[in-house]
């Protein structure tokens, strides 16, 4: 057993004792009931299980949860798909996913949403030229697998959020 304490969507959890071999995915889904984080391949290949890790230096990254033990997130601040909407109001990216019919079964959607949100926050700090936007989105979403093949719609949904606020996201 190992002691685990972390912050999820702004709320502190722990310290609590968890098994050393408990994956972060099982911790979120089975212990906390945060089932928005999915379990797909279980092999760090699809990223349907990815959550956002907010680093102390202000940067954020996504990390899979299926192959990483819960104790690997000890002391970290993370965000899951449940943490995006505030007071029932969807984020601009969530609304764009809906308006683009970006998802079909929705299994990959939390991972794409987390990755897209990280990208938007990065662009807000470090805008890119319009000419580089398509590649930037492609590279950001690369690695996320969608068995319903919604790649283009996810890409377009992210792009529309950027283009709707060019002063914020573009040079
Ligand atoms: S379920 Fe974690 S990467 Fe596929
Ligand atoms: S919407 Fe079904 S896997 Fe992506």
């Amino acid at each position: 057993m190992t002691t685990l304490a972390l912050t999820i969507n702004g709320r502190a959890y722990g310290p609590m004792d968890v098994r050393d071999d408990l994956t972060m995915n099982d911790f979120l889904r089975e212990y906390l009931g945060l089932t928005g984080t999915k379990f797909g391949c279980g092999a760090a290949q699809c990223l349907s299980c990815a959550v956002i890790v907010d680093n102390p230096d202000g940067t954020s990254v996504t990390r899979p949860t299926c192959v990483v033990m819960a104790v690997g997130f000890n002391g970290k601040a993370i965000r899951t798909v449940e943490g995006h909407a505030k007071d029932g109001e969807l984020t601009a990216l969530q609304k764009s996913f809906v308006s683009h019919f970006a998802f079909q079964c929705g299994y990959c959607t939390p991972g794409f949403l987390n990755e897209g949100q990280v990208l938007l926050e990065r662009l807000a700090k470090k805008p890119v030229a319009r000419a580089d936007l398509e590649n930037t989105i492609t590279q950001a979403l690369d690695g996320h697998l969608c068995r319903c093949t919604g790649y283009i719609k996810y890409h377009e949904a992210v792009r529309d959020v950027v283009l709707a606020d060019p002063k914020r996201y573009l040079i």
Side-chain angles (χ1 to χ4, degrees):
M1 300 289 274
T2 305
T3 301
L4 172 65
L6 74 171
T7 301
I8 304 173
N9 300 327
R11 176 181 164 188
Y13 291 83
M16 64 185 86
D17 290 334
V18 297
R19 293 192 332 265
D20 295 335
D21 62 352
L22 178 71
T23 68
M24 186 58 172
N25 196 273
D26 279 347
F27 177 67
L28 290 171
R29 294 178 55 84
E30 306 298 336
Y31 279 58
L32 304 185
L34 295 173
T35 55
T37 299
K38 301 305 182 195
F39 182 88
C41 66
Q45 297 295 314
C46 73
L47 297 181
S48 65
C49 66
V51 298
I52 301 173
V53 177
D54 292 319
N55 295 314
D57 65 1
T59 62
S60 298
V61 294
T62 62
R63 288 286 179 263
T65 58
C66 63
V67 293
V68 184
M69 299 306 119
V71 294
F73 287 83
N74 187 42
K76 297 188 183 303
I78 75 166
R79 283 178 277 164
T80 69
V81 67
E82 290 90 348
H84 287 250
K86 297 284 184 268
D87 300 323
E89 178 72 15
L90 298 180
T91 65
L93 187 59
Q94 287 175 310
K95 289 176 182 173
S96 192
F97 276 21
V98 172
S99 64
H100 281 79
F101 298 101
F103 47 88
Q104 294 171 68
C105 79
Y107 211 78
C108 65
T109 309
F112 274 97
L113 183 67
N114 286 332
E115 199 70 60
Q117 187 62 37
V118 166
L119 173 61
L120 291 173
E121 292 170 11
R122 177 160 62 86
L123 292 179
K125 293 177 182 170
K126 192 174 180 183
V128 296
R130 174 66 181 91
D132 295 328
L133 180 60
E134 305 302 335
N135 276 342
T136 300
I137 296 172
T138 298
Q139 287 173 10
L141 301 183
D142 187 35
H144 287 261
L145 300 186
C146 174
R147 282 164 287 193
C148 304
T149 67
Y151 298 105
I152 293 175
K153 292 186 181 297
Y154 278 128
H155 184 112
E156 291 174 345
V158 174
R159 179 174 63 200
D160 277 9
V161 175
V162 173
L163 295 182
D165 197 351
K167 289 183 180 169
R168 185 175 185 193
Y169 298 117
L170 298 176
I171 296 172

